[in-house]
Amino acid sequence: MSLRLRRIAVDGFRKFREPMVIEGLTDGLNIVIEPNETGKSTLLEALRAAFFVRHGTKNQLAQSFAPHGEAVGPEIQVAFEADGAPWTVTKRFLKGATIEVTGPQGKAQGEEAEARLHALLGSVRDTSQKGDAGSYGALGLLWVAQTEALAVSAPGQIVRDTVRSTLEAEVGSIMGGPAYTRVRTRIDEQFGRYWSPTGQRRGRQNEARERVEIAEVAAREAADRLAGLERTFSDLEAARARLKVVQREIADDTDVQTRKDLVASLEVARAAAQILATRRAEHEAVNAKVRGLEDLSERHRKATEDRDKANLALGQARAQRAELSHGLAAAKQRLADVRSALDSARASRQDARLALGAGQDRVRASRRRAAVAAAGNRHAELVELERLHGEAKTLAATLTPSKTMDLLEANERAVAEARALRSAGATSITLSGETAGISIDGEPASPCERTLTGITVVRLGDAELVITPPAGAASAEEALSSALKKQQSTLEELDVVDLAAARARNDAARDAASELRTIAARIEATTPADENVGLAAGADALKLFIFELVDEPGVEEADLPDIAALTNALEAADSALAKAEGAQESAVDALRRIEEDDAPLATVEAGAASDLANAKAQIDTIEGRSEFPTLVVDLTRAREQTAEAAVKLEEATRDATAHDPAAITRKIETVDARSRAAGVARTKLEMDIARLEGTVESEGGKGLANRAAGACEEAEAARAALQRITEEAETLKLLRETLDEARDETSAKFVGPVAKRAKRHIERLLPGCDLSFAEDLTLEAVIRGGISEGCGDLSRGTQEQLAVLTRIAFADMLLEQGRPVSLILDDPLVYSDDARLDLMVEILSETAERMQVILLTCRDRAFRHVAANRVSIAR
């Protein structure tokens, strides 16, 4: 049966803070086209809340129904038809939560009303915090919120069970019967003892493996301890045998005698070494004496040679310097003369510069006085211009704004119009001749013409004439009075007599504003900068200069010096100074060249004199020593003693080589080390034997052989149990997989009819395709040209279109079973191109012939041409 919504009323639900009603929903295709942020998605959420969310819940979803910042009770009322019968549901959340359902069975409230809705719609109670569309039944699949149709998803468990019950008769097989359930439950229970849900070993398998590991570890430990005891017996016998060998080695006295012989040889070697050291010291002493005498003789010879060379070099240097002395004296005298001339030129140049500076100062002072006088004239002109500028500025400030002038013009027109109206509606009287005894409104009358706007009493002696003008005259007079007051008020604010005066003043203000620019330009031209007095441009700079000006003494023009003559004199002094400096540089260069020639000679002379003095001092020192007179005889005798000492040293070296103390000492150390090692080995063997005897005594009585045999038997039993349990686990796994295969075969029988119905719609979108559904009735893939394409690999637009078409297929199957079905799509087909959009609209229009279809969209252009019932969200 088809579910048809007729009226939806929402109040205080999210963005619908004020009551909102949608009416006029028809059986076929209904389109709600509204702009973004209008509340289309909120409308679908309100429908879901009215049908599926328990009224008394205060979960997170229900809390979100209240408008932000308001503590109200959101309320929804929906009128609909199910199987042709009218129904109404009214539900309120949070504040004063209530529900009332009206149907063919009458009214129901509270939990009974919730139960009737679940029974009618095939839904179950939703216990989630944020809303579970799977518990909403068929409408949870077919009422598609925004973006829920962007991917192909599986229907909920309620829809799958309903579809299976629909297809049971068609496929001739019952899926999940009681027998299958009992067997599968038992197998799953047994399977869980051996395997995890992901197929990993656990439970009894792990326990058996742990038992095997523990038994094998115990067997290895028992075998290791038994083997260790046997090794201990063998080590004990070997240690006792080695101890006997070591004891025999220690009892042998061969090493003792050898050590005595080596000690005696060491004493002889040490004596020979002592003699060798004595002979070596004697040889070194004689050699040192010979070297000292030879060095003294060599130094005396070298000092004599140095003295002779220094005498020769000193004579040559002195002769060469004598030749240069006359030229050096002449160069020094010429340099003194040139320096005197240079000093005189510098003094003349200084006098010329001072004279030129003084002349320039007097000229600058003259120019400054002229500039100061000009500045005073410009200042007087500036004062006058500033006065004119102030007057013009004051006059320009009286310019009346254009809006005010427009107001005056409008007031003037209003006064004229009021006067015209008064003249048109008033009564005019003319009094002439003798007016004695006549009064008008109690006042004596005079000959004139009067305009009467109100009731006027004219007394003629004892008679009284009452004149009543037309009714509009009074209002015209009042209008004129009001216009005059308004105009007068505006004129008083502007401080003018009338409009003509205001216009004249405005014209004068405009002329003054124009004159301001002219005066400003004249002020700028009158206040230029003047470098002669350091005056900057501008009126402020000129006024400050005049204010700070100090009177300066005057100088007559006839007293001014000739700057050109003074400049020529300075140039002549500069030229003379340059010539004097050139002459000085030439004299300095000539003196430098002579000094450069004399400097090496002076250096050579000084060096030769120093070398001569050093050589003489060294000769005197050597010849003054006591051993110098007998130096030749002593040197000969010392050389003979050196030869004798060398012969004795050779003999002592041969004797020392025959007995080597180091080699003898090493042999003695070897004997001692062998003796110590034998002692240490005996001590270590005695300790090892004691330790091994203790181990044998402690381990020998524990029955290690029996323990090892028992541990081996336990390991064999544990391995056998593990093999048996593994076989049981594999058998259960095989049985479970066999049941799964059988279930898959049965499921395939249900998937076939679903694919057949869905293909009827999808083939129009993708011609020549085959469909592949999963066990949970999810469309997994589309097969085109023998190539399988997963739904997740398709474009977003194709996925969205397939999601809508599979929902239509499920809706048709549910409709066959008589379930309440309607299709609501929120903002559908957003990724579809124009051709596919037209095709999808055509399919939806055909679907609307079998059930109610409601489209919520903001795209007016995309659905403008569709023939459908258009509904607006009214507030």
Side-chain angles (χ1 to χ4, degrees):
M1 63 179 174
S2 179
L3 177 74
R4 299 177 177 85
L5 303 175
R6 297 305 185 193
R7 182 179 184 273
I8 307 169
V10 180
D11 185 13
F13 188 92
R14 291 189 179 168
K15 74 177 292 121
F16 295 123
R17 299 174 182 268
E18 301 297 330
M20 183 280 300
V21 179
I22 286 184
E23 296 181 311
L25 296 170
T26 61
D27 292 351
L29 180 60
N30 299 269
I31 302 180
V32 179
I33 303 178
E34 296 286 354
N36 290 328
E37 304 295 331
T38 308
K40 300 183 296 299
S41 300
T42 305
L43 178 64
L44 180 55
E45 287 297 321
L47 280 174
R48 285 183 168 182
F51 283 99
F52 305 117
V53 180
R54 185 173 172 274
H55 70 285
T57 185
K58 294 186 179 180
N59 60 11
Q60 184 177 352
L61 179 63
Q63 295 292 336
S64 70
F65 292 161
H68 181 69
E70 295 186 9
V72 298
E75 185 173 340
I76 309 105
Q77 184 182 63
V78 183
F80 61 97
E81 292 181 5
D83 198 16
W87 289 77
T88 302
V89 56
T90 303
K91 188 177 290 188
R92 182 181 178 87
F93 295 94
L94 303 177
K95 298 288 185 179
T98 59
I99 180 176
E100 181 176 288
V101 174
T102 303
Q105 301 171 355
K107 291 184 179 181
Q109 296 179 342
E111 295 301 328
E112 176 61 25
E114 297 280 7
R116 286 191 185 183
L117 278 180
H118 290 316
L120 174 65
L121 303 176
S123 58
V124 297
R125 182 171 178 175
D126 182 12
T127 58
S128 65
Q129 286 291 318
K130 297 182 179 180
D132 179 15
S135 65
Y136 300 167
L139 298 181
L141 175 68
L142 302 178
W143 289 2
V144 186
Q146 198 174 57
T147 73
E148 285 184 1
L150 294 181
V152 180
S153 57
Q157 185 64 44
I158 298 175
V159 177
R160 295 200 298 271
D161 293 343
T162 305
V163 171
R164 285 194 176 97
S165 64
T166 302
L167 300 176
E168 281 177 354
E170 183 176 339
V171 300
S173 176
I174 299 176
M175 181 67 180
Y180 173 83
T181 303
R182 288 196 300 273
V183 172
R184 182 55 186 263
T185 302
R186 180 61 178 166
I187 290 175
D188 287 343
E189 181 182 348
Q190 294 296 324
F191 183 84
R193 296 181 180 180
Y194 296 91
W195 303 94
S196 69
T198 58
Q200 302 296 322
R201 294 183 177 87
R202 74 173 186 183
R204 298 186 64 184
Q205 288 197 84
N206 291 342
E207 292 173 0
R209 289 182 180 277
E210 290 175 1
R211 179 187 173 190
V212 170
E213 292 175 358
I214 293 172
E216 288 179 347
V217 170
R220 284 196 299 271
E221 291 179 351
D224 291 343
R225 292 187 66 182
L226 180 60
L229 181 60
E230 292 175 354
R231 286 196 300 272
T232 301
F233 279 113
S234 299
D235 294 343
L236 179 60
E237 292 300 324
R240 287 172 176 172
R242 288 198 300 272
L243 180 61
K244 290 179 182 179
V245 172
V246 170
Q247 287 175 343
R248 284 198 301 270
E249 290 177 356
I250 292 174
D252 190 2
D253 59 352
T254 301
D255 287 342
V256 176
Q257 186 60 40
T258 301
R259 191 178 190 284
K260 289 181 180 179
D261 296 339
L262 289 173
V263 170
S265 299
L266 181 61
E267 292 297 330
V268 174
R270 286 175 177 171
Q274 183 65 33
I275 294 171
L276 176 62
T278 302
R279 296 291 182 260
R280 186 176 286 117
E282 292 174 351
H283 184 265
E284 287 294 330
V286 174
N287 274 339
K289 184 176 180 181
V290 170
R291 286 194 297 274
L293 293 174
E294 289 177 346
D295 179 67
L296 184 62
S297 175
E298 179 64 20
R299 284 192 289 121
H300 185 269
R301 182 189 64 77
K302 189 174 183 305
T304 303
E305 292 178 355
D306 290 343
R307 181 191 60 187
D308 297 340
K309 288 181 181 179
N311 274 326
L312 179 60
L314 180 61
Q316 292 176 349
R318 286 176 176 173
Q320 291 175 352
R321 289 195 71 192
E323 294 177 359
L324 292 174
S325 60
H326 298 295
L328 181 61
K332 289 180 178 179
Q333 181 60 41
R334 181 170 177 269
L335 178 61
D337 297 340
V338 169
R339 186 176 290 119
S340 175
L342 177 62
D343 293 339
S344 177
R346 283 175 178 167
S348 299
R349 179 177 178 274
Q350 183 66 21
D351 294 341
R353 176 174 291 177
L354 291 175
L356 176 61
Q360 289 175 341
D361 290 342
R362 295 182 65 184
V363 170
R364 280 195 294 270
S366 177
R367 291 176 181 173
R368 175 179 174 79
R369 283 190 296 276
V372 168
N377 297 333
R378 291 199 304 274
H379 180 264
E381 186 179 354
L382 173 63
V383 171
E384 178 62 21
L385 289 174
E386 286 184 340
R387 183 187 65 77
L388 295 175
H389 186 274
E391 293 175 354
K393 187 175 182 181
T394 303
L395 187 56
T398 63
L399 180 66
T400 304
S402 59
K403 290 184 178 180
T404 306
M405 290 302 297
D406 292 342
L407 179 61
L408 283 175
E409 298 284 353
N411 290 342
E412 192 69 19
R413 284 194 299 272
V415 169
E417 291 172 357
R419 283 176 176 163
L421 289 175
R422 187 188 67 172
S423 297
T427 300
S428 297
I429 64 172
T430 303
L431 185 63
S432 61
E434 182 63 34
T435 59
I438 301 174
S439 64
I440 299 175
D441 290 336
E443 295 181 359
S446 59
C448 65
E449 183 179 354
R450 291 191 178 210
T451 300
L452 306 180
T453 57
I455 298 174
T456 304
V457 178
V458 180
R459 183 169 292 280
L460 303 170
D462 294 335
E464 186 177 78
L465 175 64
V466 178
I467 302 172
T468 303
S475 60
E477 181 67 22
E478 182 63 27
L480 175 60
S481 176
S482 175
L484 287 172
K485 289 179 180 179
K486 185 176 181 181
Q487 179 72 330
Q488 187 62 31
S489 175
T490 305
L491 292 173
E492 290 176 356
E493 289 178 0
L494 297 176
D495 195 20
V496 293
V497 177
D498 52 16
L499 178 60
R503 288 172 179 167
R505 190 177 72 179
N506 238 26
D507 293 339
R510 288 194 188 94
D511 294 340
S514 177
E515 184 66 17
L516 278 175
R517 291 188 291 272
T518 303
I519 294 174
R522 291 179 62 189
I523 289 175
E524 183 177 358
T526 306
T527 57
D530 192 340
E531 296 181 356
N532 292 320
V533 292
L535 175 62
D540 292 339
L542 179 59
K543 289 186 285 187
L544 179 63
F545 175 78
I546 295 298
F547 176 76
E548 295 177 348
L549 186 64
V550 179
D551 292 337
E552 298 178 0
V555 178
E556 295 297 333
E557 291 295 330
D559 296 335
L560 293 178
D562 186 356
I563 299 300
L566 293 175
T567 303
N568 293 333
L570 178 61
E571 290 176 355
D574 287 338
S575 177
L577 177 61
K579 291 178 181 179
E581 288 177 347
Q584 184 193 25
E585 290 178 1
S586 175
V588 169
D589 290 340
L591 180 61
R592 183 184 301 110
R593 285 193 297 272
I594 296 175
E595 288 177 346
E596 288 175 354
D597 294 339
D598 182 64
L601 296 176
T603 303
V604 171
E605 181 182 1
S610 176
D611 292 343
L612 179 61
N614 291 335
K616 288 181 178 181
Q618 191 171 5
I619 291 172
D620 293 343
T621 300
I622 293 172
E623 290 178 353
R625 297 182 63 171
S626 59
E627 62 268 25
F628 181 76
T630 60
L631 177 62
V632 177
V633 177
D634 292 343
L635 181 59
T636 302
R637 188 182 303 115
R639 288 172 177 168
E640 292 175 354
Q641 291 175 353
T642 300
E644 294 174 359
V647 172
K648 293 180 181 179
L649 177 62
E650 182 65 24
E651 293 176 353
T653 301
R654 286 198 301 271
D655 294 340
T657 305
H659 300 84
D660 186 3
I664 296 171
T665 301
R666 286 195 297 272
K667 291 179 181 180
I668 293 174
E669 291 175 351
T670 300
V671 173
D672 293 342
R674 188 162 54 242
S675 176
R676 288 195 301 272
V680 171
R682 180 179 63 183
T683 302
K684 184 176 182 302
L685 287 172
E686 289 175 348
M687 292 176 60
D688 290 342
I689 291 171
R691 176 178 57 77
L692 294 172
E693 287 176 348
T695 302
V696 170
E697 183 178 356
S698 62
E699 295 289 328
K702 293 183 179 180
L704 296 181
N706 295 333
R707 289 187 181 183
C712 290
E713 293 176 358
E714 172 61 21
E716 289 296 330
R719 282 192 285 270
L722 174 61
Q723 183 177 0
R724 183 179 67 257
I725 289 173
T726 301
E727 291 174 354
E728 292 176 1
E730 294 297 334
T731 301
L732 281 170
K733 188 176 183 180
L734 178 61
L735 179 58
R736 192 169 183 266
E737 291 174 352
T738 303
L739 282 175
D740 289 340
E741 291 175 1
R743 182 191 59 187
D744 293 341
E745 292 176 2
T746 306
S747 298
K749 296 178 181 179
F750 289 91
V751 170
V754 173
K756 181 179 179 181
R757 286 172 169 81
K759 185 177 180 181
R760 184 173 58 197
H761 301 291
I762 296 175
E763 193 170 31
R764 297 176 63 182
L765 181 72
L766 305 173
C769 71
D770 289 323
L771 307 178
S772 174
F773 280 84
E775 180 187 346
D776 61 354
L777 303 183
T778 304
L779 179 59
E780 286 186 329
V782 176
I783 303 170
R784 291 185 286 185
I787 300 175
S788 177
E789 301 176 75
C791 288
D793 298 330
L794 300 173
S795 68
R796 299 287 284 177
T798 303
Q799 290 187 54
E800 182 184 31
Q801 294 148 19
L802 291 176
V804 173
L805 293 178
T806 52
R807 282 176 166 84
I808 292 175
F810 284 120
D812 286 340
M813 284 185 278
L814 294 169
L815 195 61
E816 292 175 9
Q817 197 180 8
R819 295 288 181 177
V821 170
S822 71
L823 183 63
I824 301 178
L825 301 177
D826 182 12
D827 203 9
L829 309 174
V830 293
Y831 292 105
S832 299
D833 57 39
D834 293 341
R836 286 195 174 180
L837 179 62
D838 292 341
L839 177 60
M840 292 299 297
V841 169
E842 182 181 342
I843 294 174
L844 289 172
S845 299
E846 295 174 359
T847 303
E849 297 175 359
R850 303 187 296 275
M851 66 189 76
Q852 186 184 49
V853 178
I854 300 176
L855 302 182
L856 306 172
T857 180
C858 61
R859 299 189 296 163
D860 180 53
R861 181 181 301 174
F863 296 93
R864 185 182 301 161
H865 64 287
V866 180
N869 175 42
R870 283 172 167 71
V871 184
S872 298
I873 296 178
R875 302 196 184 200

